[in-house]
């Protein structure tokens, strides 16, 4: 079955373009469109898509607030959200990830990267534009930019530290398995353990913790 996507962008030509690109990708179907965050949240709650693709700057409720409403810490059954924007600003990326986004792309990403981000988010992984990953997450690891990182409820094992480093570099589960010569199920088990020890809800929060604690 195709992955079902809701697209939200206040510019009709951009919204139509994103929809056309996604509908042309095998295994992806756009099931709803919205011109603002309020409508996007309503659509997403009604349609329960596999992935939401939200612009940041929208009238009324913006993409970050819409993301928080659907995927934030207080949401019991969060949806997968990928944020896409024209603006390469540190604050936007950090706010989007903290709001619960599973991906962050610039609008010049291209069809392949857009498709990868949708599939990654639907699979519980995360894709952040390569051009912004290290710089933007690293910027928020500096002292004074956020509250102190949480302490693990239990010390990380050496293998978990290895897994943490590969996740922070943006590797997928399959890539980690190949790089460390372990099975895919073992990778998933270690990532689940990392999430439990760090109190992380998803891979993005693992990546943020890695940067905040200077693991990368």
């Amino acid at each position: 079955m195709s992955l079902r996507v809701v697209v939200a962008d206040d510019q009709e030509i951009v919204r139509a373009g994103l929809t056309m690109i996604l509908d042309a990708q095998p295994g992806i179907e756009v099931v709803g469109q919205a011109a603002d965050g309020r409508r996007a949240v309503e659509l997403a709650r009604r349609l329960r898509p596999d992935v939401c693709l939200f612009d940041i700057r929208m009238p009324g409720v913006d993409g970050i607030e819409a993301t928080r409403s659907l995927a934030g810490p207080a949401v019991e059954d969060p949806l997968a959200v990928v944020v896409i924007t024209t603006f390469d600003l540190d604050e936007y990326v950090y706010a989007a990830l903290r709001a619960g986004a599973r991906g962050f792309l610039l609008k010049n990403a291209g069809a392949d990267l857009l498709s990868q981000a949708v599939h990654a988010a639907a699979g519980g992984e995360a894709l952040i534009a390569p051009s912004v990953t290290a710089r933007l997450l690293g910027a928020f690891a500096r002292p004074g930019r956020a509250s102190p990182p949480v302490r693990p409820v239990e010390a990380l094992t050496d293998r978990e530290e290895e897994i943490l480093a590969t996740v922070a570099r943006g590797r997928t589960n399959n890539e980690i398995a190949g790089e460390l010569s372990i099975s895919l199920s073992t990778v998933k088990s270690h990532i689940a353990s990392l999430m439990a020890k760090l109190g992380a809800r998803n891979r993005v929060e693992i990546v943020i913790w890695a940067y905040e604690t200077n693991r990368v």
Side-chain angles (χ1 to χ4, degrees):
M1 293 180 62
S2 294
L3 295 177
R4 301 166 64 253
V5 180
V6 164
V7 174
D9 194 296
D10 62 326
Q11 297 183 48
E12 183 176 357
I13 191 170
V14 173
R15 193 167 65 249
L18 290 171
T19 297
M20 181 177 66
I21 291 171
L22 289 172
D23 277 339
Q25 304 304 307
I28 297 178
E29 177 190 4
V30 176
V31 295
Q33 298 181 45
D36 60 73
R38 181 188 60 78
R39 176 61 175 160
V41 171
E42 292 174 351
L43 266 180
R45 285 175 173 164
R46 176 165 58 85
L47 298 175
R48 300 296 300 179
D50 298 294
V51 179
C52 300
L53 182 66
F54 289 169
D55 183 25
I56 284 184
R57 287 191 172 182
M58 293 188 288
V61 176
D62 64 19
I64 292 173
E65 185 56 38
T67 298
R68 187 176 294 109
S69 296
L70 297 172
V75 180
E76 291 185 4
D77 188 16
L79 292 172
V81 179
V82 174
V83 170
I84 185 166
T85 182
T86 305
F87 305 98
D88 185 7
L89 299 177
D90 295 3
E91 288 75 11
Y92 280 172
V93 179
Y94 192 68
L97 299 182
R98 283 300 192 195
R102 288 191 192 171
F104 185 98
L105 295 179
L106 299 178
K107 288 184 179 177
N108 62 1
D112 288 344
L113 197 58
L114 186 59
S115 176
Q116 291 175 37
V118 168
H119 281 282
E125 299 189 6
L127 192 152
I128 301 171
S131 62
V132 299
T133 302
R135 178 179 63 81
L136 295 175
L137 290 178
F140 288 94
R142 293 197 297 266
R145 294 305 299 267
S147 58
V150 298
R151 295 179 62 85
V153 296
E154 182 182 340
L156 305 187
T157 65
D158 291 342
R159 178 60 89 182
E160 286 169 348
E161 290 281 4
E162 287 183 299
I163 298 289
L164 177 70
T166 57
V167 171
R169 291 197 299 271
R171 302 292 192 268
T172 65
N173 286 357
N174 285 326
E175 290 170 338
I176 295 171
E179 187 173 321
L180 300 181
S181 300
I182 57 180
S183 69
L184 185 59
S185 62
T186 299
V187 173
K188 292 179 179 179
S189 177
H190 282 307
I191 290 178
S193 179
L194 280 171
M195 292 174 65
K197 288 183 177 181
L198 303 178
R201 286 159 43 93
N202 52 51
R203 295 168 76 96
V204 171
E205 292 185 1
I206 292 177
V207 174
I208 292 174
W209 189 86
Y211 276 93
E212 289 179 337
T213 56
N214 298 314
R215 255 61 172 195
V216 182

